[in-house]
Amino acid sequence: MNSEAMKGHLDALLLAAVERQPAHGYALIERVRALSDGAFLLPEGTVYPALHRLERLGLLESAWSADAPRRRRVYSLTDRGRAVLVERREEWRAFASGMSAALQGAR
């Protein structure tokens, strides 16, 4: 998918992926790919800075996991992150509905 089309939606994708289950960054990249049927192939260089930013904003929290051969930072959704995800889903529904109506009328 065009990276311009992704702007403004990365945060919602990551929050939705973390909502399903806490995970480390690479697992979240794979989860977004799987949930989107391969439509969203997020580069690590985009995801990790976004995860750090979402954590600074209080939408995610993280802890080091020691249950793998190497330590990984595992991200989970905060209560504030859940509330923001609800808002983003509502915004998306309204946006998608409006775009669909506009594009259908453009035939």
Side-chain angles (χ1 to χ4, degrees), residues 1-7 39-40:
M1 176 162 285
N2 180 328
S3 63
E4 282 297 310
M6 284 294 300
K7 285 186 179 177
F40 303 128

Side-chain angles (χ1 to χ4, degrees), residues 86-107:
V86 167
E87 291 173 13
R88 295 288 173 92
R89 283 183 171 135
E90 290 171 4
E91 291 169 359
W92 175 254
R93 284 183 192 108
F95 177 80
S97 175
M99 283 295 289
S100 181
L103 293 176
Q104 294 298 324
R107 287 190 211 172

Side-chain angles (χ1 to χ4, degrees), residues 5 7-8 16 18 21 31 33 38 42 50-51 57 59 70 79 82 84 88 91-92 96 100 102 107:
K7 285 186 179 177
V18 172
Q21 180 180 344
R31 189 173 296 157
R33 183 190 56 75
L42 304 176
L51 290 171
L57 292 171
L59 306 180
R70 64 179 233 230
D79 288 341
R82 278 186 209 354
V84 167
R88 295 288 173 92
E91 291 169 359
W92 175 254
S100 181
R107 287 190 211 172

